[in-house]
Structures are given as structure tokens and as C-alpha cells.
Amino acid sequence: MKWDENAMADTLQESTQNNRRLTQQIIRLQEDERQSLARDIHDEIGQYLTAIHVDASAILNGRKLSSAKESALAISKVTRQMMDVVHQIIQRLRPRILDELGLGLALIELVDHWRQRCKNIKIVDHIDKNLGTLDELVSITAYRVIQECLTNIAKHANAANVSVKVKQDEQFIHLYIEDDGVGFSQTVSTQGFGLAGMIERVKGLLGEINIQSSIDQGVKVTVKLRKRVHEVAIL
Ligand SMILES: Nc1ncnc2c1ncn2[C@@H]1O[C@H](COP(=O)(O)OP(=O)(O)O)[C@@H](O)[C@H]1O
Ligand SMILES: [Mg+2]
């Protein structure tokens, strides 16, 4: 086929528009995420600090050694929970672990983290350790999708079993997260920020995402992402 100059100009213009749309989407997502982080810092950390403040005042004002010990123990417990929350917030701000370990190992570590936190849920994983060369944005998106899915499972699902699979082929990586919990009706899915953000992220990279659920049927999320998005942007 012979390229004519007009067709070439049209393709270029379309690709510039696509890039601009992608940039705008990413900026909006970042803003949404900051808002959600601000809310978490306010709600979670704020609540822990208040508890510590109350217990510290009790120690200062109390007379009995035994009740002072009780308050000190309460402070110690709360600070341990706080460390966990701070760790999670930092991971959301920037999953540094991705640079250090690469996506495969970072995901294995993420799943392990949830396994330890949710001892009543059996999490089975099949994660390809070596996922080859991926664009940074693709790694981050895959990591965030699985992070959000696992957070949702811990928060909403009341599941007994969870399966996480990450596979690759030449051009794509495939994510698959399934739980056997309470599920949700399709109308719920658009209300939260997490699922909507996940869809936007994947679509922003011209990937495919499918979220399947109904009441009492658990949730199944499948995602297909191109490993190298730069190639798409200039197509
Ligand atoms: N794995 C799940 N099991 C059951 N319900 C879920 C699950 N994931 C999401 N949901 C439902 O979908 C809603 C939207 O999720 P999301 O967009 O992540 O928002 P958020 O987690 O902040 O509530 C949740 O409030 C919950 O009702
Ligand atoms: Mg959520």
C-alpha cells in the first residue's frame, strides 16, 4: 500500500490527539489519587493520633502505675498499626519495590503482604517471576490494579479463596484476580473511586479490562496490557 501525505498527516494528528488524551487522563488520575491518599491520611492516621493523645493524657493525669501501664500498652499497639498504615500509604505513593525487584517479584511480595494481613483468606498465586522488559507505566499500572483488587477483597469481599495469576506472552501481560466473596451488582461498581480509576488506567494504556461480578458470585477481574506502550503511541 502506498502512503499518501494526507493519510500520513491524519495518522500523525490522531496519534498526537491520543497522546494528549492519555496525558490528561493520567493527570486527572493523579489528582484523584492524591485526594484519596489525603482522605486516608486524614481518616486513618488522624484516628490513631487521637487515640495516642488520649492515652498519653491518661498517663500524665493518672496516679496508678497499673493504669499507666495499660495506657502505654495501648499506645504501643496503636503505633504498630500506624506503621502498617504508613507503609501502605508509602507503597501507594510510589511502589519503590518495582524498581528494586521488577514487577514479578514485587507482585509476589505484595501478595505475601496480604496473605499475612488476611490470615482467614486463602490466596493462591501463579505469578510469572520474570516478566521481561515492560514499560514503567505498564508495571505501575499492573501493580496498582492488583493492589486495588486485593485491597477491595480485604475491605468488601468477605472471601474465603482468592486467586491471583499473572502471565505473559510475546506482546502482552495478562492479569487475573478472582475471589469467592459477596460480589456486587453492576450498579455499585461505578460508585467507588478504585474500580473507576483502575478502568481509566488500563484504558489509558489502550489495554483491556473486564470486571465481572454479581451478588454472592465473587468478583473476577481480567486485564490485558501491552508490554510496550511506546510502540502503540507512535503507531
Ligand atoms: N472484591 C469485591 N467484593 C465485593 N464487593 C466489592 C469488591 N470490590 C469492589 N466491591 C464493591 O464495589 C464498590 C466500589 O469499589 P471501589 O471503586 O474500589 O471503591 P471503594 O473500595 O473505595 O469502596 C465497593 O464499595 C464495594 O461495594
Ligand atoms: Mg477500592
Side-chain angles (χ1 to χ4, degrees), residues 36 39-40 148-159 177-185 187-198 211 213-214 218-221:
S36 145
R39 197 181 57 198
D40 278 7
E148 178 60 31
C149 285
L150 291 173
T151 308
N152 277 348
I153 290 168
K155 241 163 77 175
H156 312 293
N158 197 15
I177 308 100
E178 182 178 12
D179 71 71
D180 64 352
V182 296
F184 55 81
S185 62
T187 42
V188 176
S189 58
T190 47
Q191 283 169 12
F193 151 79
L195 292 178
M198 212 157 81
I211 303 171
S213 184
S214 48
V219 180
K220 206 186 282 185
V221 178

Side-chain angles (χ1 to χ4, degrees), residues 77-95:
K77 271 192 196 152
V78 170
T79 45
R80 212 167 305 139
Q81 285 169 321
M82 246 175 111
M83 281 186 233
D84 208 27
V85 172
V86 168
H87 174 79
Q88 273 181 54
I89 289 174
I90 289 171
Q91 286 293 322
R92 278 178 61 194
L93 277 168
R94 168 75 206 154

Side-chain angles (χ1 to χ4, degrees), residues 48-68:
Y48 290 137
L49 286 176
T50 309
I52 292 173
H53 181 71
V54 169
D55 283 314
S57 304
I59 294 176
L60 280 174
N61 299 327
R63 289 172 202 279
K64 277 202 281 179
L65 184 62
S66 62
S67 62

